[in-house]
Amino acid sequence: MKTLLKWIVRIMAVAAIALGGLAIWKYEQYQRLMAVLSLFSEEKIVSNFSAMDSAFLTTSLVQGNLQPSPLPVGPTATLPPEVDDWIADRSVTGLVVLKDGQVVYEDYFKGTGATDLRINWSVSKSYLSALFGVLLAEGSIDSIEDPVTKYAPALETTAYNDTRIKDVLQMSSGVTFDEDYLAFFSDINKMGRVLALGGSMDGFTLKQDASFAAPGEGWKYVSIDTHVIGMVIRGATGRDIPSLMTEKIIAPLGLEADPFYLTDGYGVAFVLGGLNTTTRDNARFGQMFANGGVWQGRQVVPGDWVDASTIASARTEPGEIGYGYQWWIPDGSEPGQFLARGIYGQYIYIDRINDVVISVHGADRDFREPGAHEQNEDMFRLIAESL
């Protein structure tokens, strides 16, 4: 009888521990969900964007004991007077301007600072494009004409079955995906909740079974295409994106602060928008592209990939902003002028003609209003041409 009672007590203890663990797990999920629901609120957006690791699962891109690469300071530039109003209107939080590879302007606003690791949102896509270019040159991936299923066979049962790598690089997969950031039940926000609750982004992607056009026949910006690029890279290399990004891009750049990625519950990086960096380190990345992929005398990204990925090769509508391989090319740009862009005012603008790089972090809740992107692009041109 005593033995039976001991076993009952043990079973009850194990059950209590299990229930306690489940309660903690559910509480953490609840906390993350609540954080996501208030992520873009007017009173919290600025602080939230500097503390994404408090709301999401993350993984750091640790460079080791490397010293940060030099980022020389040049003569301080006086920017056009219109810049002050633009900073206020567009809720800029960090602005770093390089001319000829030297910092000529740097300032931070709304209580942020130079050491803040700020969320890049879709600027992260351009980092992934750079990594893809390196792996392509190294032979891990044979060709951008390959079907995505060659490296990610699980996609054979989805709308991506007949899609080439080139199609997802150009946002031309034709896959139906609602990218409305302000609609609670849009696909992009459903994916965000999967991320926050520790679900599987791969699992979410494998449920995509509808198309609005055949691959390569049209253009529509759908962020899930970038997740597929990540699946291709992981399938081709057998490695995770954070370790590859650290080895191939981050460590060679010698960033001042170790970045981090948001991840899902399976440790898969949110490559379409989850890279967090400082504004200065984004300027380093931009200057490397301005240098044709070279940083501190080292060819980090192949020069031919820099050129190919930053020209308007996708089938966007005439007169609209162009798109390359996860890079934007504003209408009216000359060759060598292009940008990375993320929601709520994140940018890296690169002007290889004038050797100017402009790195911007923001918290612009009005980023979707008509003309907002064009206003930013005009301001970048104005700054570049004034230096």
Side-chain angles (χ1 to χ4, degrees), residues 147-149 152-164 168 173-176 201-211 213 215 224-225 227-228 231-232:
V148 296
T149 54
L155 293 168
E156 290 175 356
T157 61
T158 73
Y160 285 99
N161 184 45
D162 297 319
T163 305
R164 301 170 303 168
V168 289
S173 68
V175 169
T176 301
M201 289 184 295
D202 283 353
F204 182 85
T205 304
L206 295 180
K207 295 176 182 177
Q208 307 307 308
D209 58 4
S211 298
I224 199 166
D225 280 3
H227 185 78
V228 170
M231 293 178 73
V232 167

Side-chain angles (χ1 to χ4, degrees), residues 35-115:
V36 168
L37 293 177
S38 63
L39 194 61
F40 310 113
S41 65
E42 185 174 2
E43 66 275 11
K44 293 183 178 181
I45 186 171
V46 173
S47 59
N48 283 345
F49 282 12
S50 289
M52 297 295 286
D53 52 348
S54 66
F56 292 89
L57 300 172
T58 64
T59 187
S60 292
L61 280 64
V62 180
Q63 303 169 88
N65 296 321
L66 298 176
Q67 291 295 316
S69 63
L71 193 60
V73 177
T76 300
T78 300
L79 301 186
E82 296 92 333
V83 172
D84 289 339
D85 288 339
W86 169 73
I87 288 171
D89 291 344
R90 300 266 61 98
S91 297
V92 172
T93 55
L95 175 60
V96 174
V97 180
L98 308 184
K99 171 66 176 176
D100 299 329
Q102 297 181 316
V103 178
V104 296
Y105 179 92
E106 179 176 9
D107 207 352
Y108 301 89
F109 313 93
K110 297 182 177 292
T112 67
T115 61

Side-chain angles (χ1 to χ4, degrees), residues 92-267:
V92 172
T93 55
L95 175 60
V96 174
V97 180
L98 308 184
K99 171 66 176 176
D100 299 329
Q102 297 181 316
V103 178
V104 296
Y105 179 92
E106 179 176 9
D107 207 352
Y108 301 89
F109 313 93
K110 297 182 177 292
T112 67
T115 61
D116 286 24
L117 288 167
R118 300 283 291 177
I119 182 71
N120 280 327
W121 297 119
S122 289
V123 167
S124 309
K125 293 178 170 69
S126 299
Y127 274 86
L128 190 69
S129 174
L131 174 61
F132 183 91
V134 173
L135 297 173
L136 181 68
E138 290 179 349
S140 296
I141 297 162
D142 295 329
S143 170
I144 63 172
E145 300 294 337
D146 285 343
V148 296
T149 54
K150 177 177 178 179
Y151 306 96
L155 293 168
E156 290 175 356
T157 61
T158 73
Y160 285 99
N161 184 45
D162 297 319
T163 305
R164 301 170 303 168
I165 296 173
K166 182 177 181 180
D167 299 326
V168 289
L169 284 167
Q170 294 180 323
M171 296 288 182
S172 300
S173 68
V175 169
T176 301
F177 188 83
D178 184 356
E179 190 83 10
D180 189 344
Y181 306 105
L182 305 183
F184 185 81
F185 291 107
S186 68
D187 293 315
I188 190 66
N189 283 327
K190 288 178 183 176
M191 194 176 197
R193 289 190 289 277
V194 168
L195 179 75
L197 294 175
S200 169
M201 289 184 295
D202 283 353
F204 182 85
T205 304
L206 295 180
K207 295 176 182 177
Q208 307 307 308
D209 58 4
S211 298
F212 66 89
E217 291 191 358
W219 182 87
K220 186 177 181 182
Y221 186 86
V222 291
S223 287
I224 199 166
D225 280 3
T226 309
H227 185 78
V228 170
I229 298 171
M231 293 178 73
V232 167
I233 291 173
R234 286 185 280 128
T237 63
R239 295 178 58 186
D240 62 89
I241 302 298
S243 66
L244 283 166
M245 185 68 73
T246 303
E247 177 186 333
K248 307 295 186 181
I249 303 296
I250 301 303
L253 283 175
L255 301 189
E256 292 181 14
D258 290 338
F260 66 86
Y261 265 119
L262 309 186
T263 73
D264 69 8
Y266 297 81

Side-chain angles (χ1 to χ4, degrees), residues 114-118 256-257 276-283 359 361:
T115 61
D116 286 24
L117 288 167
R118 300 283 291 177
E256 292 181 14
N276 294 251
T277 58
T278 68
T279 313
R280 286 172 61 89
D281 283 339
N282 274 358
S359 175
H361 277 120

